[in-house]
Amino acid sequence: MAIDRTNFTYRGRLVHLVHTRQFVRPLLEDMFDVADAARRLNTSRPGATYLKESLVGRRALLYFVQPSTRTFLSFQAAASLLGMSTAEVRSREISSEMKGESPLDSLRTFAMYHDLIIIRYPEPGFSEQCAGFFVDHDLRRHVINGGSGKDDHPTQALLDMYTLHREFYSRGGVDGKRILLVGDLARGRAVRSLVHLLTRYEGVRIDLVSPPQLRLADDLMEVSRKTFEDVRESEEIEDFLADADAVYMTRVQSEYEPHIEVSESAIESYGLTEDRVAMMKADSVIMHPLPRRNEIPITLDRDPRSRYWEQV
């Protein structure tokens, strides 16, 4: 089977889902249509039964050796909705890697028992490495990247884009919207992945607000300036709130590159408050990939513009 190693596709179909650069606009729209249909089906017993029979007999392994609750449970729930059985590995300490087995040999063993390996791993590029290994060894199994280091989180980005798609569907879609990205833009893999997906839309403009040491990485800045109609940067969130169609908040991700120090007072200065939210458009959207720290107070959960629980 001749698989395109650039995008891990075979005859135009995804074999492995490892990074956001694999997605073109028509594929995103097709996936959103399927998601809409699945949501409708799942509201009735016959529809839910139909979904439950979609992947009966298929088996998924959740190989989650980096802390996660939301992503793990979302994949587990998705597999259940489609009739897949699941197993899990939550720590390398209970696998043969503790005996000296390489991670790739472990994954090859897991692939003997499962049709799909969903990977959450602390080191960047591991999911792509696994997908390449499966291709090289003709392992007819599938890999999904559920979060890899600080470089990519394609499934979170798909949820983010699907949320934007649903919110703006009746308002001309995502095209032409202004998106404000706030917080840890340097180390947030959800932000990295979302920026790549936003490049698939026409006329999108992005604003960036962060502490100086947490600015968007140079490679993404280059992509952004080449692609988006307008890119603005500031250290003051008030500068762009009134223009934003969507505000995408992020937490400071101190688990990556902990040598980058950011004070709690600096973190709080980028958070949303009642006064700041009052500056926003009445039909704007507040998003967050979660978990949150202090950047969005619980009191804003009641604001009709808050959509982070819908993202979940």
Side-chain angles (χ1 to χ4, degrees):
M1 184 167 64
I3 294 175
D4 178 351
R5 286 291 294 270
T6 302
N7 291 309
F8 293 106
T9 57
Y10 173 66
R11 294 182 177 176
R13 302 183 66 177
L14 289 180
V15 177
H16 305 292
L17 196 171
V18 294
H19 54 70
T20 46
R21 297 183 301 280
Q22 294 174 267
F23 292 99
V24 294
R25 176 77 172 266
L27 177 57
L28 288 172
E29 292 176 347
D30 285 347
M31 293 183 76
F32 296 160
D33 287 343
V34 170
D36 285 338
R39 289 169 67 93
R40 290 192 297 270
L41 283 168
N42 202 47
T43 60
S44 69
R45 185 179 293 275
T49 300
Y50 174 83
L51 286 175
K52 193 81 171 178
E53 294 174 349
S54 300
L55 294 175
V56 169
R58 299 292 186 177
R59 294 163 294 183
L61 174 70
L62 286 82
Y63 181 68
F64 273 54
V65 295
Q66 184 182 30
S68 170
T69 49
R70 232 168 321 276
T71 307
F72 178 88
L73 291 174
S74 68
F75 274 112
Q76 191 176 60
S80 176
L81 286 170
L82 297 173
M84 297 185 78
S85 62
T86 58
E88 62 184 74
V89 173
R90 301 296 296 269
S91 171
R92 286 176 283 187
E93 295 179 0
I94 60 172
S95 78
S96 291
E97 290 180 47
M98 290 300 294
K99 304 174 185 177
E101 183 175 57
S102 73
L104 289 178
D105 273 0
S106 293
L107 266 293
R108 185 170 187 173
T109 302
F110 302 153
M112 299 299 100
Y113 315 133
H114 299 90
D115 304 285
L116 170 65
I117 312 293
I118 304 162
I119 298 173
R120 175 84 157 204
Y121 206 79
E123 297 169 13
F126 183 70
S127 296
E128 189 166 359
Q129 184 183 3
C130 289
F133 181 84
F134 279 27
V135 172
D136 291 341
H137 292 80
D138 197 29
L139 298 175
R140 306 289 177 95
R141 300 293 189 267
H142 306 282
V143 169
I144 290 180
N145 178 4
S148 179
K150 67 182 184 70
D151 62 336
D152 213 342
H153 198 342
T155 54
Q156 176 66 54
L158 284 172
L159 289 177
D160 296 341
M161 282 307 314
Y162 183 53
T163 303
L164 290 170
H165 163 80
R166 285 173 57 83
E167 290 300 319
F168 296 134
Y169 185 79
S170 62
R171 290 186 270 162
V174 178
D175 292 328
K177 298 299 186 291
R178 184 177 284 280
I179 313 298
L180 171 57
L181 307 174
V182 183
D184 192 341
L185 308 185
R187 300 174 297 188
R189 59 188 173 192
V191 166
R192 291 186 59 85
S193 297
L194 178 59
V195 168
H196 278 298
L197 291 190
L198 285 170
T199 65
R200 305 303 192 253
Y201 292 82
E202 300 293 330
V204 169
R205 295 160 291 171
I206 65 170
D207 295 326
L208 309 170
V209 173
S210 69
Q213 64 270 50
L214 298 180
R215 294 178 65 246
L216 198 67
D218 290 342
D219 62 329
L220 271 185
M221 279 302 302
E222 183 177 356
V223 169
S224 299
R225 295 197 185 282
K226 285 181 178 178
T227 307
F228 300 119
E229 291 193 356
D230 186 18
V231 179
R232 304 185 299 186
E233 284 189 279
S234 177
E235 295 177 27
E236 304 293 335
I237 190 171
E238 289 89 350
D239 289 346
F240 304 139
L241 278 174
D243 298 331
D245 295 299
V247 178
Y248 191 92
M249 303 294 295
T250 67
R251 68 182 173 88
V252 172
Q253 303 198 21
S254 50
E255 67 267 33
Y256 298 113
E257 300 176 352
H259 61 278
I260 300 178
E261 296 185 4
V262 184
S263 69
E264 285 298 321
S265 61
I267 294 171
E268 291 176 3
S269 71
Y270 292 90
L272 286 179
T273 63
E274 298 284 353
D275 289 341
R276 287 172 173 168
V277 169
M279 301 171 60
M280 296 171 56
K281 298 177 181 178
D283 61 353
S284 57
V285 178
I286 302 171
M287 300 174 62
H288 195 305
L290 301 180
R292 62 179 163 186
R293 293 171 70 170
N294 299 320
E295 56 275 356
I296 299 180
I298 293 175
T299 54
L300 288 183
D301 291 358
R302 297 190 298 270
D303 192 292
R305 292 166 291 190
S306 295
R307 289 293 182 273
Y308 31 91
W309 296 116
E310 282 74 13
Q311 279 175 268
V312 173

